[in-house]
Amino acid sequence: MNCPKPGFPRSRVKVRVGTVALGGGSPVVIQSMTNTDTADIQGTVAQVAALARAGSELVRVTVNTAEAAGAIAHIREGLDRLGVNVPLVGDFHFNGHKLLTQFPECAEALAKYRINPGNVGRGSKRDSQFATLIEIACRYEKPVRIGVNWGSLDPVLLAQMMDENGRLPEPLEAGEVLRNAMICSALESARQAEYFGLPHDAIVLSCKTSGVQDLIAVYRSLAMQCDYPLHLGLTEAGMGSKAIVSSTAALAILLQEGIGDTIRISLTPEPRGDRTQEVLIAQQILQALGLRMFTPAVIACPGCGRTTSTVFQELAQKIQDYILEQMPLWRKKYSGVEKMTVAVMGCVVNGPGESKHANIGISLPGTGESPVAPVYIDGQKGVTLKGDHIAEEFQEIVQRYVTEHYTLAP
């Protein structure tokens, strides 16, 4: 199979997914995926709505059975009734060509299709089934994500490339051949999709691995070989802090290098856990890198022997909770409020200085310091708080700052 050779990174083309733009200089888009049975219309509508309200700008749903395909149009209608206009992406494996053919209302209701080239079909059926998927996408003018996953890579392609590598005078390591095979699968599938009529600006690519270094290497190479928008995500990342750290490590490096147009954090939730956590982590990664802003940042020191009291920890928690609680209203009412920074510091060492760098900052007394808490507003000392109601008074100052410093949203 002839795959393109590495060149130089080029600017990404822009792909429209409903009302959302991917690539072409657009902000990095956050997406997520439901884990409900898609045939459960009520349950899926509720989870999609929760993910969208948390900040997911695309939501992918599994379409694996006739019941699931038959539910898609009803799910779209249910979301529209709730005023949730988030685009839905259909995730197809093995039988997508049949389901999209049999359920045209499903093909129409979805905003994008995700196709895994390793699971389209085997042998002689592969090309015809892939062609059917692309022809339907063309008919309904839907973009397609060609999503390669190293856990379901086309075994014929991999075996062919391993054989070719084995005949080289200096064979590559198996891991590098595997990564090259993923890229080759994505690019060759994109070439085929365009041959079957899919526009160049209707294609998104992904090549997902579960290893941080593998993911970085794959996407660096992929970005050098094409200008399609790229979807980033560490697949099968796992649970808890391990998954968060691994996903952050991989995606932060790539995003900092300008690679990636849409991201998903694939967290395994705890039993009956909140699916929206993966959306919040994605927001925090983008905000930490300064790529997008979603909520005011609360800066707080970690504490040390100078801060044996828990007062600053409790105040930092109260302020953060207060901001998160107010953000839905602030976001609608005040333009730019998400860029605000609030500092809650525990002692005199860094407290005043860090507070001056924030829009609003409070420097609480450490162990043995005077029981007063100066408040700084845009670098200037404002009031000094003391007594038992510092938290409530500081919240009032934050609210007043928002009201006075941010313009009313149109």
Side-chain angles (χ1 to χ4, degrees):
M1 185 172 291
N2 295 320
C3 295
K5 301 300 181 184
F8 293 96
R10 288 164 286 180
S11 60
R12 303 268 168 246
V13 298
K14 183 177 291 186
V15 174
R16 291 282 178 183
V17 184
T19 57
V20 176
L22 304 181
S26 303
V28 178
V29 170
I30 293 172
Q31 59 180 282
S32 53
M33 185 175 184
T34 59
N35 61 358
T36 58
D37 179 352
T38 307
D40 174 6
I41 296 171
Q42 184 176 354
T44 303
V45 167
Q47 191 173 81
V48 171
L51 290 167
R53 288 165 180 157
S56 184
E57 294 152 310
L58 297 175
V59 177
R60 184 158 44 112
V61 296
T62 297
V63 188
N64 59 334
T65 63
E67 291 76 15
I72 293 296
H74 300 292
I75 292 169
R76 180 71 272 166
E77 291 168 0
L79 291 167
D80 291 342
R81 284 195 296 271
L82 294 174
V84 178
N85 62 358
V86 64
L88 292 177
V89 180
D91 194 58
F92 295 97
H93 298 270
F94 310 112
N95 59 353
H97 60 293
K98 293 181 179 179
L99 295 176
L100 286 171
T101 300
Q102 295 169 2
F103 294 89
E105 65 279 11
C106 168
E108 179 63 40
L110 292 169
K112 185 175 72 158
Y113 309 153
R114 185 275 174 129
I115 302 172
N116 183 338
N119 291 336
V120 169
R122 295 287 185 260
S124 60
K125 295 182 179 180
R126 192 269 181 196
D127 287 350
S128 63
Q129 292 175 182
F130 183 77
T132 298
L133 288 164
I134 298 305
E135 288 164 4
I136 293 172
C138 294
R139 184 185 314 155
Y140 292 98
E141 298 183 334
K142 306 295 181 179
V144 171
R145 170 159 72 94
I146 295 172
V148 178
N149 191 304
W150 75 345
S152 53
L153 183 60
D154 182 351
V156 175
L157 171 63
L158 181 59
Q160 176 185 331
M161 293 185 67
M162 286 290 187
D163 288 343
E164 291 173 355
N165 181 66
R167 292 192 291 269
L168 294 176
E170 297 183 12
L172 303 174
E173 293 184 359
E176 187 170 356
V177 179
L178 175 59
R179 294 191 293 270
N180 290 341
M182 293 178 65
I183 295 168
C184 191
S185 176
L187 295 178
E188 177 62 16
S189 296
R191 187 196 65 76
Q192 283 188 312
E194 291 195 48
Y195 175 78
F196 291 133
L198 192 65
H200 188 79
D201 63 355
I203 298 173
V204 180
L205 298 185
S206 67
C207 286
K208 292 189 177 183
T209 76
S210 57
V212 171
Q213 296 295 347
D214 290 305
L215 193 81
I216 294 169
V218 164
Y219 274 95
R220 280 175 172 166
S221 182
L222 182 61
M224 296 285 283
Q225 299 182 52
C226 72
D227 64 352
Y228 301 110
L230 302 181
H231 167 93
L232 302 186
L234 191 73
T235 190
E236 287 94 41
M239 299 181 71
S241 60
K242 177 264 181 189
I244 294 171
V245 170
S246 296
S247 293
T248 302
L251 270 60
I253 290 171
L254 292 168
L255 290 167
Q256 184 67 16
E257 295 177 359
I259 299 171
D261 303 283
T262 176
I263 65 172
R264 188 222 170 170
I265 308 301
S266 300
L267 301 182
T268 302
E270 297 178 359
R272 295 173 296 281
D274 188 352
R275 190 70 165 179
T276 62
Q277 185 187 17
E278 64 179 43
V279 179
L280 301 180
I281 298 301
Q283 289 180 332
Q284 290 166 9
I285 291 172
L286 294 178
Q287 181 150 336
L289 292 170
L291 296 175
R292 294 184 64 183
M293 305 299 288
F294 298 95
T295 187
V298 176
I299 300 163
C301 66
C304 66
R306 288 176 173 269
T307 57
T308 53
S309 168
T310 60
V311 172
F312 88 95
Q313 298 166 336
E314 293 165 356
L315 180 58
Q317 185 65 59
K318 286 181 180 179
I319 290 300
Q320 185 157 285
D321 291 346
Y322 174 74
I323 288 174
L324 290 175
E325 181 182 311
Q326 295 299 314
M327 267 310 290
L329 174 61
W330 287 351
R331 189 179 292 111
K332 292 178 181 179
K333 197 171 181 181
Y334 302 104
S335 296
V337 68
E338 67 278 358
K339 298 178 182 178
M340 180 174 67
T341 57
V342 180
V344 180
M345 303 300 293
C347 79
V348 74
V349 173
N350 291 317
E354 193 71 59
S355 296
K356 290 176 184 178
H357 290 309
N359 295 115
I360 312 169
I362 185 169
S363 180
L364 293 165
T367 305
E369 295 176 15
S370 299
V372 296
V375 175
Y376 297 83
I377 299 174
D378 289 330
Q380 302 298 317
K381 185 176 178 179
V383 299
T384 299
L385 304 180
K386 60 180 69 176
D388 298 328
H389 301 288
I390 289 178
E392 292 77 11
E393 293 174 13
F394 189 61
Q395 285 179 6
E396 291 176 5
I397 293 172
V398 172
Q399 179 62 63
R400 189 161 58 248
Y401 185 92
V402 170
T403 303
E404 295 175 353
H405 287 77
Y406 295 98
T407 58
L408 294 175

